[in-house]
Amino acid sequence: MIDVPLSVLDLAPVAADGSVGEALRHTTELARRTEELGYRRFWVAEHHNMPSIASSAPAVLLAHLAARTSTIRLGSGGVMLPNHAPLVVAEQFGTLEALHPGRIDLGIGRAPGTDQVTALALRRSMEGLSAEHFPRELADLMNYFSGAEPGPVTAVPGRGQSPVVWLLGSSGFSAQLAGLLGLPFSFAHHFSAQNTLPALQLYRQSFRPSQWLAEPYAMVAVNAVCAETDERARWLAGPAGLSFLKLRSGRPEPLVTPEAAAAYPYSELEREFVAQRREGQAIGSPETVARQLGALLERTGADELMLTTMVYDVADRVRSFELIAERVAGGLLRKG
């Protein structure tokens, strides 16, 4: 039996009565504290046109976080490749790796991470927005880092300054591609729990040893809200459930208070939607979260867990990670 590394995925949540500046300062505070607590890596996600999320420019935010931490690995969870020219991504993350060698992860996703109108505004053309272009653009990106197939364009910084590249996914496509390329794979269990086991099985079945990995390495991202009691944890998780409901109904809003979330007039179907969203996640007291994360490890055989915590107040966000580090992490084991 071996200990399971724990990591952090943060979206820089924007509170209803707060500002983007406050959200980014809170993310910085969380990165520093989770480094002190011994978390392995701290990733930020790329989302656009969402009032509740301030992490739309991962490379910029990671540069800021790297300057204010010293040991924790930092990365994107992920950079959504359809939104960017591979050369730009190589230059950005080559710069980060050159400035902070050995600390940078580049998690790559194949979805735009937003609606099609916003994706078009980012890319300025429909070219490249289809998933069928993703393998070619990923190959171009990897080549900019390695220089294995020299061409007329060189990524500077980039060539010879490669971060650790991960593929991210919520279905089987990226899982299989990650396996075939011999890359580490991170699965988005926090919003696609029903696809977790099939995708991980496909990744492991497809895996071919590579210059990067001799064996498959799978990380599972999971929603986690830990508080002193189950009741308080569920109460703190209320705003995130409402935020996701609003997003899915086409009415995204900043994160409201737990009181506002509790007072929201949910229909029966909406309550069912939020309840389903929480299934398979880790919400409760340290004892409950330990049991839930242990069950997730048992089902998935994950090599690492990445926790994402969307709560209204930064103090509650920090406290959740403290409780998990202090009262949960030591008992999380997987068969190895």
Side-chain angles (χ1 to χ4, degrees):
M1 307 291 280
I2 62 174
D3 292 325
V4 177
L6 296 181
S7 293
V8 182
L9 173 64
D10 196 67
L11 279 64
V14 181
D17 60 351
S19 69
V20 168
E22 287 175 334
L24 296 174
R25 286 192 292 273
H26 292 162
T27 288
T28 305
E29 177 185 342
L30 183 64
R32 293 170 66 105
R33 183 63 180 129
T34 51
E35 178 179 74
E36 293 171 349
L37 292 166
Y39 285 85
R40 173 169 288 187
R41 62 188 93 237
F42 190 99
W43 284 7
V44 296
E46 178 186 348
H47 291 284
H48 301 276
N49 199 28
M50 295 185 185
S52 62
I53 296 174
S55 57
S56 60
V60 179
L61 181 53
L62 290 172
H64 173 78
L65 297 177
R68 285 157 178 78
T69 55
S70 58
T71 58
I72 195 167
R73 293 194 64 89
L74 297 162
S76 58
V79 162
M80 313 315 289
L81 196 54
N83 297 338
H84 312 283
L87 175 61
V88 173
V89 178
E91 290 173 339
Q92 290 176 343
F93 279 78
T95 300
L96 288 168
E97 178 64 23
L99 288 169
H100 307 280
R103 291 186 60 204
I104 304 301
D105 297 327
L106 172 54
I108 294 289
R110 72 181 181 100
T114 187
D115 58 90
Q116 286 297 308
V117 173
T118 306
L120 182 58
L122 286 161
R123 191 74 181 216
R124 301 178 64 190
S125 166
M126 293 302 292
E127 181 68 24
L129 289 178
S130 171
E132 67 187 39
H133 294 272
F134 179 75
R136 179 66 258 171
E137 296 205 329
L138 178 63
D140 290 343
L141 174 63
M142 301 293 282
N143 187 57
Y144 280 128
F145 286 127
S146 69
E149 299 178 14
V153 178
T154 301
V156 182
R159 185 174 179 177
Q161 304 286 344
S162 180
V164 176
V165 177
W166 292 66
L167 286 194
L168 281 55
S170 58
S171 64
F173 183 95
S174 292
Q176 185 173 32
L177 184 59
L180 292 173
L181 295 177
L183 292 172
F185 177 61
S186 179
F187 188 82
H189 177 80
H190 57 303
F191 64 81
S192 187
Q194 71 277 11
N195 291 325
T196 304
L197 296 183
L200 292 177
Q201 182 180 23
L202 186 58
Y203 169 60
R204 292 171 179 135
Q205 289 175 344
S206 304
F207 186 83
R208 298 174 182 172
S210 69
Q211 66 189 84
W212 302 289
L213 282 179
E215 299 178 345
Y217 191 92
M219 180 164 64
V220 173
V222 55
N223 283 314
V225 179
C226 191
E228 293 295 345
T229 66
D230 289 347
E231 292 74 17
R232 178 164 176 79
R234 287 193 292 266
W235 187 71
L236 292 174
L242 179 58
S243 177
F244 195 70
L245 173 66
K246 295 273 189 164
L247 176 63
R248 282 298 175 90
S249 61
R251 298 172 291 131
E253 296 178 358
L255 212 60
V256 301
T257 65
E259 292 85 355
Y264 182 81
Y266 294 93
S267 69
E268 198 61 38
L269 281 176
E270 288 174 335
R271 288 190 185 280
E272 184 178 342
F273 175 86
V274 172
Q276 288 176 347
R277 165 85 172 151
R278 291 183 179 180
E279 288 181 4
Q281 309 303 315
I283 300 172
S285 66
E287 295 74 23
T288 297
V289 168
R291 185 169 61 252
Q292 292 166 332
L293 292 181
L296 181 62
L297 284 168
E298 183 70 25
R299 294 195 306 273
T300 63
D303 298 289
E304 187 171 340
L305 293 179
M306 178 162 272
L307 313 179
T308 182
T309 302
M310 284 280 281
V311 297
Y312 176 80
D313 190 279
V314 66
D316 292 317
R317 195 148 115 245
V318 170
R319 185 57 182 152
S320 178
F321 284 102
E322 289 175 341
L323 286 171
I324 292 173
E326 294 163 1
R327 296 169 57 181
V328 176
L332 290 177
L333 304 170
R334 70 170 176 86
K335 296 178 181 178

